Amino acid sequence: MTTSTNTKPPIIWQNVILFTLLFAISCGVVPWYAYQYGIDAKHWVWLLITFSFCNLSITAGYHRLWSHKTYEAHSALKVIFALGGAFALQNSALHWSSDHRVHHKHVDNNDKDPYSAGRGFWFSHIGWMLREYATNQHIDYTNCRDLQKDKVVMWQHKYYLPLVLLTNIGIPLLLGIIYQDIWGMLLVVGVLRLCLSHHSTFFINSLAHVWGSQPYTTKNSARDNAVLAVFTFGEGYHNFHHIFENDYRNGVRWWQYDPTKWLIKSCSWVGLTTKLRSVSDLRIELAKAKAKLQYAQTRLSADPTQQEHSAKLAQEFERLTQTLNDYYQTQKQLLESKYDTVMKQYEHSLLQMKYTQLKQELKQQRRNWHLMTTRIA
Ligand SMILES: [Zn+2]
Ligand SMILES: [Zn+2]
């Protein structure tokens, strides 16, 4: 099915009714209930716990584990993610991953990307799920053959509907019985939690492709956005993610708010996750420098008198690339030399000197590069 046809595909009424009801109850009935009967700390605490459970199951499980294979997980953790994914009501992990792999492969291609941002905010946020846009596109899940060998994924796929009902009705009902407020828990932990969980995840397909910066690549519409990262458990660093999709981190700097990254990392300390994949600092810095070069050259290309400046910039980029390669290479050698018992003391000192020199050089070049590119941009 392509988008070039004028006749729109049939509406998926089940989804339209579901999303409308969730939104209407969350905005209308929940505040009314709060006013009439009161909503207190226990509701808010459980809302936060269940919301986090749903979203982390999507970000750490559906997204970074199953769609992108950025690490390996213990079966117990997979089961938790599979339950959380059903609780989040975002289709089975197999289906979700299949869609998501197509999104990465054909990002911004309006005919192939299932939630292409190029088709507008509404479409990428929720519109793509309201009509039969991709009926037979990847129903066979051929792009997820690896996941078809995963027992937990296939178990969740097979029992998806019972798991959805069990979690979405069972958990709020159980909490309602425990706290003797069945309606309150059904409304807050059942409906409001699901509505918030849906839209915060949907923002990654919509907002994270229009709002924010592009420090790593301009080849697609994905953006880095620290504000969005707060609501999406770290997925707001979407520009980084689209260039380095096999990295278990989205917020790559230690201070960037990415609870999904922290969860995956801390699980590795107790053996629940293994083989965490991350790209090298060199590749990250090179990508950033290249993106800056492209920004600056696009600006300069509009002015024919700036050709000389453009050539200088290209030269400086070459120099920076060379120093970066040398620096990270030497850093690696230095690290390895610590365990090298054959290496002589003076050889080690030479390596250390070379490293210190390159570090100084790089510091200066980074500063130059920053000044040259920001002046233009
Ligand atoms: Zn994306
Ligand atoms: Zn992704």
Side-chain angles (χ1 to χ4, degrees):
M1 176 82 59
T2 63
T3 56
S4 50
T5 49
N6 284 329
T7 42
K8 286 187 173 179
I11 290 176
I12 307 172
W13 283 107
Q14 172 195 323
N15 286 1
V16 172
I17 293 167
L18 177 82
F19 290 131
T20 310
L21 270 180
L22 286 175
F23 194 76
I25 295 172
S26 297
C27 294
V29 183
V30 174
W32 168 81
Y33 186 90
Y35 180 74
Q36 284 290 328
Y37 304 101
I39 284 177
D40 56 32
K42 61 181 179 289
H43 297 91
W44 296 121
V45 168
W46 279 106
L47 175 69
L48 189 68
I49 293 171
T50 50
F51 171 76
S52 305
F53 174 41
C54 285
N55 282 38
L56 282 168
S57 296
I58 296 295
T59 60
Y62 277 33
H63 190 212
R64 301 191 202 182
L65 172 66
W66 285 312
S67 297
H68 294 300
K69 318 278 279 181
T70 67
Y71 64 98
E72 286 179 12
H74 190 280
S75 299
L77 190 61
K78 284 186 187 176
V79 171
I80 292 171
F81 289 153
L83 291 172
F87 195 22
L89 195 62
Q90 289 189 29
N91 222 320
S92 70
L94 183 68
H95 193 100
W96 199 102
S97 301
S98 179
D99 271 346
H100 195 69
R101 285 179 184 183
V102 180
H103 167 63
H104 273 263
K105 194 174 173 192
H106 299 290
V107 61
D108 298 327
N109 179 326
N110 287 354
D111 288 333
K112 291 181 177 170
D113 180 352
Y115 27 86
S116 174
R119 294 178 71 176
F121 186 89
W122 175 257
F123 179 86
S124 60
H125 188 74
I126 198 167
W128 66 280
M129 290 175 279
L130 303 181
R131 287 179 183 272
E132 303 272 4
Y133 287 105
T135 320
N136 298 314
Q137 207 166 313
H138 32 264
I139 207 77
D140 52 356
Y141 306 118
T142 44
N143 65 346
C144 290
R145 287 213 175 92
D146 53 322
L147 298 185
Q148 293 180 47
K149 290 177 200 148
D150 188 317
K151 281 180 185 162
V152 177
V153 168
M154 295 319 284
W155 165 76
Q156 193 231 29
H157 188 69
K158 190 175 175 190
Y159 297 107
Y160 179 66
L161 196 60
L163 289 173
V164 163
L165 297 174
L166 188 77
T167 47
N168 280 280
I169 298 173
I171 295 172
L173 200 62
L174 185 68
L175 289 169
I177 292 167
I178 293 169
Y179 292 103
Q180 300 193 340
D181 181 11
I182 290 177
W183 279 112
M185 284 298 178
L186 278 173
L187 284 170
V188 176
V189 177
V191 180
L192 182 61
R193 179 263 325 158
L194 191 54
C195 187
L196 290 173
S197 173
H198 272 168
H199 289 281
S200 55
T201 306
F202 301 165
F203 274 143
I204 303 157
N205 298 335
S206 55
L207 262 188
H209 275 267
V210 289
W211 181 34
S213 60
Q214 294 181 296
Y216 301 98
T217 178
T218 50
K219 278 190 179 162
N220 58 66
S221 60
R223 315 279 162 144
D224 264 21
N225 187 319
V227 178
L228 205 54
V230 176
F231 302 105
T232 56
F233 292 78
E235 305 273 90
Y237 298 103
H238 208 52
N239 186 254
F240 177 85
H241 174 62
H242 263 275
I243 188 170
F244 300 119
E245 63 186 49
N246 297 321
D247 195 312
Y248 82 95
R249 308 160 299 177
N250 277 15
V252 71
R253 309 299 297 272
W254 66 267
W255 46 265
Q256 285 178 324
Y257 185 80
D258 186 356
T260 306
K261 160 186 81 178
W262 297 326
L263 174 75
I264 298 167
K265 185 73 184 169
S266 41
C267 280
S268 73
W269 298 332
V270 289
L272 283 173
T273 59
T274 50
K275 299 184 183 169
L276 277 57
R277 293 163 76 188
S278 54
V279 291
S280 66
D281 291 344
L282 170 65
R283 283 185 62 198
I284 294 170
E285 207 169 339
L286 282 174
K288 278 180 95 168
K290 202 173 161 192
K292 277 196 169 185
L293 177 73
Q294 277 163 352
Y295 273 125
Q297 288 198 321
T298 310
R299 287 244 163 182
L300 291 174
S301 64
D303 185 352
T305 61
Q306 293 289 333
Q307 273 184 4
E308 198 185 324
H309 201 140
S310 180
K312 260 190 197 166
L313 206 66
Q315 239 173 26
E316 187 63 22
F317 175 73
E318 282 304 315
R319 226 160 64 89
L320 179 70
T321 306
Q322 187 58 51
T323 316
L324 278 170
N325 275 307
D326 290 348
Y327 171 75
Y328 283 108
Q329 177 68 19
T330 315
Q331 189 183 57
K332 196 176 158 216
Q333 285 172 348
L334 198 62
L335 214 72
E336 284 165 2
S337 75
K338 281 186 183 169
Y339 308 100
D340 189 342
T341 47
V342 185
M343 193 181 227
K344 295 188 176 68
Q345 183 58 41
Y346 81 92
E347 285 174 325
H348 183 81
S349 306
L350 276 178
L351 203 58
Q352 180 68 56
M353 266 171 64
K354 187 183 170 191
Y355 178 68
T356 314
Q357 200 182 343
L358 278 166
K359 200 174 179 179
Q360 283 300 323
E361 221 173 284
L362 189 57
K363 198 176 168 189
Q364 185 61 40
Q365 277 188 35
R366 278 177 179 142
R367 197 176 302 145
N368 279 353
W369 183 247
H370 177 72
L371 286 173
M372 277 179 90
T373 48
T374 42
R375 247 187 239 139
I376 297 158

